[in-house]
Amino acid sequence: CVVDKAGLDRFALLGMLQGGAVSNVYAARHPERVSHLVLCGAFARGQFRRNPSPQQVDATEAMIKLVEYGWGQSNPAFLQMFTSQFFPQATLAQAHSFNEIQRHAASPHVAARLIRAFAELDASAELARVRAPTLVFHSRGDNRVPFDEGRFVATSIAGARFEPLDTASHVPLPGEPAFQRVLDDMAAFVPPLQKDAVRFAELTRREREVLDRIARGLDNAQIAAQMDLAEKTVRNHITAIFFKIAVENRSQAIVAARDAGFGSP
């Protein structure tokens, strides 16, 4: 829904922690839309799906109970337990910030449900179907997702590149050498958007539909009839489109749109 609302046809996708599992599934099911996949601290199998020992299951269950009772308290001790796992080398300011983010992000009940859902999640069956070029980062000292799980994700995606990170943080924090390395490697891995792509990316889905009809040579009345819109609404969309793609008239819009792939039968 977010992708459709943003009017994106093809894009690079970044997934972290459980977001990595979601991103893997999306890339596998929508190969025509994902140009590049980047994963950081990601997993495909939650704690309950990695053949855990009875002690590991008990520890996860105990953590869920702690969340139910302590998540919403102003005492940061409960939240600090999670922060210390995510970012054991965080500064006091960084730890306080993450504590507050956690406390405001979800109620105790919802937080406990999310942790259990993530523990039971298993997206490993989708990994072999991913076709996008994939870059996988994983911290060697990650206390939340085992390093071997990151390696499992990378080796299960055809052609994926695995990059270990020398940090104990779940994902590198600003100030760590690994943080800049992730930024540099991502910038080199994902091609920059061309100027024209940036212009057209600013169009809403409705504006893209209008522009496609302009590129096919339809006039305002025909566009209005096809899209069940008032002609005034069509004119307003066209004004916005011309501004966003930096053209002055309909002829220039048609040329630019057709060059960008609009108007195809």
Side-chain angles (χ1 to χ4, degrees):
C1 291
V2 172
V3 169
D4 288 342
K5 187 67 175 179
L8 300 176
D9 292 322
R10 193 163 172 80
F11 54 92
L13 184 59
L14 169 65
M16 298 189 289
L17 197 60
Q18 66 274 357
V22 176
S23 298
N24 281 322
V25 172
Y26 186 88
R29 296 182 183 179
H30 302 278
E32 76 286 355
R33 304 194 88 165
V34 180
S35 65
H36 295 75
L37 179 62
V38 179
L39 305 172
C40 189
F43 65 83
R45 305 168 298 182
Q47 294 100 311
F48 292 161
R49 304 301 181 188
R50 302 181 202 135
N51 298 316
S53 67
Q55 293 81 5
Q56 289 173 321
V57 172
D58 288 346
T60 300
E61 292 288 357
M63 186 176 296
I64 292 172
K65 279 296 180 185
L66 281 173
V67 167
E68 289 178 343
Y69 292 120
W71 190 272
Q73 296 185 16
S74 57
N75 184 340
F78 292 95
L79 296 172
Q80 186 61 41
M81 174 183 68
F82 291 93
T83 299
S84 296
Q85 289 181 329
F86 278 100
F87 305 112
Q89 298 172 327
T91 64
L92 287 176
Q94 288 170 331
H96 175 74
S97 176
F98 194 66
N99 286 342
E100 287 300 296
I101 288 172
Q102 291 181 96
R103 187 164 66 87
H104 292 292
S107 68
H109 175 66
V110 171
R113 286 183 61 195
L114 287 172
I115 293 172
R116 182 175 297 282
F118 298 153
E120 295 174 347
L121 188 155
D122 189 349
S124 57
E126 302 280 359
L127 296 176
R129 297 174 54 201
V130 174
R131 294 291 176 263
T134 303
L135 175 61
V136 181
F137 296 104
H138 211 96
S139 301
R140 294 185 186 277
D142 192 340
N143 292 311
R144 290 295 300 174
V145 180
F147 183 73
D148 285 345
E149 179 67 12
R151 193 192 302 276
F152 167 77
V153 170
T155 56
S156 299
I157 298 175
R161 173 178 146 204
F162 185 57
E163 291 292 342
L165 301 173
D166 292 321
T167 176
S169 298
H170 168 60
V171 294
L173 291 171
E176 296 185 70
F179 181 82
Q180 189 59 48
R181 182 189 162 194
V182 168
L183 296 183
D184 292 342
D185 283 1
M186 281 199 299
F189 180 70
V190 180
L193 288 174
Q194 299 299 315
K195 182 178 179 182
D196 285 345
V198 174
R199 289 191 299 163
F200 287 98
E202 295 177 353
L203 298 175
T204 67
R205 188 174 185 84
R206 177 56 61 84
E207 288 167 353
R208 296 174 72 87
E209 292 172 350
V210 171
L211 183 58
D212 187 73
R213 287 166 171 80
I214 290 174
R216 287 193 269 127
L218 275 64
D219 60 28
N220 289 7
Q222 291 170 318
I223 294 172
Q226 280 197 8
M227 299 182 66
D228 194 23
L229 298 173
E231 283 195 52
K232 180 179 179 182
T233 302
V234 172
R235 289 196 299 272
N236 290 340
H237 282 311
I238 291 173
T239 299
I241 291 167
F242 285 8
F243 175 77
K244 290 180 179 180
I245 67 174
V247 298
E248 297 180 356
N249 54 54
R250 204 179 195 92
S251 297
Q252 291 178 357
I254 291 173
V255 171
R258 288 178 177 173
D259 286 344
F262 288 84
S264 300

